[in-house]
Amino acid sequence: MSDDESVMRPPGPLFGLDAPFPCFPENDTGFQIRYIPKRIQNLYYMTTKGIRTPMKKGTANLMQGEIARVGALIACEGTDAFPKALMGFINRIVPVDITLVIGFSAGTVPLELFRDFDAHSEREYLKRYARGAYLLDPFYQCTINGTASGLYPIRDIAPDRFFQSEYYASYYNKLPLVDEIGIVQNLSSRWCFVYSMGRTPASGSYSAHEIRQLRRMEPVLSALMVRHWGGTILASDRKEGLRDLNETTSRIYDYAKSLTPRGISPRESQVAALILQGHSNHSIAAALGIALGTVKILRKRLYAKLRISSQNELYHVLFPSVMGAPDTS
């Protein structure tokens, strides 16, 4: 090899250097860098494909620790220790206060796989969510509507007035939750599951940095979750028949007969169901494929038949229908 062949010039502007430096071929895919200032050696690694992302001091040790924790988590997969180990792993990335792992299908009652609640949240969950409030859960709605697998903050998938909805006031806020992120995984054309990570006021909302950290680890976490819970979900063939919007509509339609002699129409029941989920008039029009003016007329008729005058009254009157029985608490 001649002197000319042993000298290679890196892209000067990236390094802040214009002079060539010796580079000795290590193999067919990379080079061993020599005679470069130490601060640059510590920040960059050069391959034949170019300059990779800078590595800060201490990153190697951090990565080794993270790899060891992933290895320990993999070792737990398939055992009873896995759910708690997974919670511990995630909590090293971001604090999580309430955890729920649940399987959803548009044709069945949700299949609970794991939950970690404090005593108060446990009572609220069993009293409301498990009895039927899940039908209004934005994560239930997005999964049965064919949302792609991935990580979703609740604000990205909830209806435009979710935080003014009865579901939020009567369940979500009583846990209490201020934020939530779900890892959604589609297992088949019928089944998916959600790993829900809720935050209470003690931890506050997720920051953009925390969301990025979770997104970084999501492929690994999702793969392990599918391996651990996927078989259980797919083996389940429960057919209790609670079906998304149609089931909610049916419950409201039947329940309204006890409130007014005339009852309400199927279309008015649909509008009521969407209002309970937290949709605005514009969102309802888009969901049902009807004009905004038609939504307003249906809403006016609904209020008149139920002898109410506000959305809050509608929540109070019809929310028990979603629970399957009047709420006497």
Side-chain angles (χ1 to χ4, degrees):
M1 180 182 296
S2 68
D3 291 340
D4 291 339
E5 290 175 328
S6 65
V7 176
M8 300 189 69
R9 183 185 298 272
L14 285 176
F15 278 94
L17 300 174
D18 291 323
F21 61 89
C23 226
F24 299 97
E26 182 177 72
N27 52 42
D28 292 336
T29 60
F31 291 95
Q32 180 183 20
I33 301 175
R34 300 182 60 188
Y35 305 133
I36 308 174
K38 188 169 182 60
R39 64 183 180 84
I40 296 177
Q41 292 185 43
N42 289 338
L43 294 176
Y44 295 96
Y45 176 73
M46 180 180 177
T47 71
T48 52
K49 294 183 179 180
I51 307 302
R52 291 188 175 179
T53 305
M55 182 178 289
K56 296 180 180 179
K57 290 182 178 180
T59 300
N61 291 335
L62 177 63
M63 290 176 64
Q64 286 297 325
E66 194 170 66
I67 290 170
R69 290 192 291 275
V70 170
L73 185 61
I74 291 172
C76 289
E77 190 275 317
T79 72
D80 292 340
F82 178 75
K84 288 287 187 181
L86 179 60
M87 277 180 52
F89 182 88
I90 291 174
N91 268 280
R92 290 186 67 102
I93 305 172
V94 298
V96 176
D97 301 313
I98 293 176
T99 299
L100 177 64
V101 188
I102 195 162
F104 287 136
S105 172
T108 72
V109 171
L111 177 62
E112 182 189 306
L113 300 165
F114 175 78
R115 70 174 185 264
D116 184 74
F117 292 77
D118 58 32
H120 169 76
S121 299
E122 181 96 0
R123 287 193 299 271
E124 292 296 322
Y125 168 80
L126 293 173
K127 177 182 177 181
R128 300 177 187 278
Y129 191 91
R131 288 176 57 196
Y134 70 85
L135 288 163
L136 305 178
D137 184 349
F139 280 105
Y140 174 77
Q141 293 297 321
C142 85
T143 54
I144 65 172
N145 288 331
T147 299
S149 297
L151 184 144
Y152 296 94
I154 193 166
R155 294 173 185 272
D156 291 352
I157 62 167
D160 50 359
R161 293 188 181 175
F162 169 72
F163 292 98
Q164 289 80 47
S165 69
E166 179 65 12
Y167 175 78
Y168 177 81
S170 296
Y171 171 70
Y172 203 86
N173 195 41
K174 286 187 176 182
L175 286 179
L177 286 176
V178 297
D179 205 358
E180 184 180 8
I181 290 177
I183 295 178
V184 176
Q185 276 297 312
N186 294 304
L187 300 174
S188 69
S189 60
R190 239 172 50 85
W191 276 100
C192 70
F193 77 85
V194 177
Y195 188 99
S196 168
M197 298 168 281
R199 293 273 281 260
T200 65
S203 299
S205 299
Y206 287 99
S207 67
H209 172 71
E210 288 175 320
I211 294 173
R212 286 195 298 271
Q213 290 292 89
L214 284 172
R215 287 194 192 280
R216 182 174 65 89
M217 292 303 301
E218 184 268 328
V220 173
L221 299 177
S222 291
L224 288 172
M225 291 174 190
V226 169
R227 282 178 60 89
H228 186 78
W229 284 301
T232 302
I233 295 174
L234 293 177
S236 176
D237 193 25
R238 302 160 66 195
K239 298 183 178 179
E240 285 84 349
L242 294 180
R243 298 179 182 273
D244 50 80
L245 177 60
N246 291 334
E247 174 62 21
T248 311
T249 300
S250 177
R251 287 189 177 198
I252 291 172
Y253 179 79
D254 292 338
Y255 184 73
K257 294 176 183 177
S258 67
L259 303 177
T260 172
R262 295 169 54 197
I264 60 178
S265 72
R267 189 59 121 180
E268 289 162 353
S269 299
Q270 283 184 315
V271 170
L274 289 167
I275 292 172
L276 288 180
Q277 289 176 9
H279 289 268
S280 66
N281 285 347
H282 286 86
S283 184
I284 293 170
L288 298 180
I290 58 179
L292 177 61
T294 303
V295 174
K296 292 179 179 179
I297 292 171
L298 290 168
R299 193 165 185 159
K300 185 175 180 180
R301 289 177 182 169
L302 178 65
Y303 282 19
K305 289 181 180 180
L306 296 177
R307 298 181 180 179
I308 59 175
S309 59
S310 69
Q311 184 167 298
N312 286 339
E313 288 180 282
L314 181 72
Y315 289 152
H316 179 73
V317 168
L318 292 182
F319 189 67
S321 69
V322 178
M323 309 303 292
D327 188 354
T328 58
S329 62

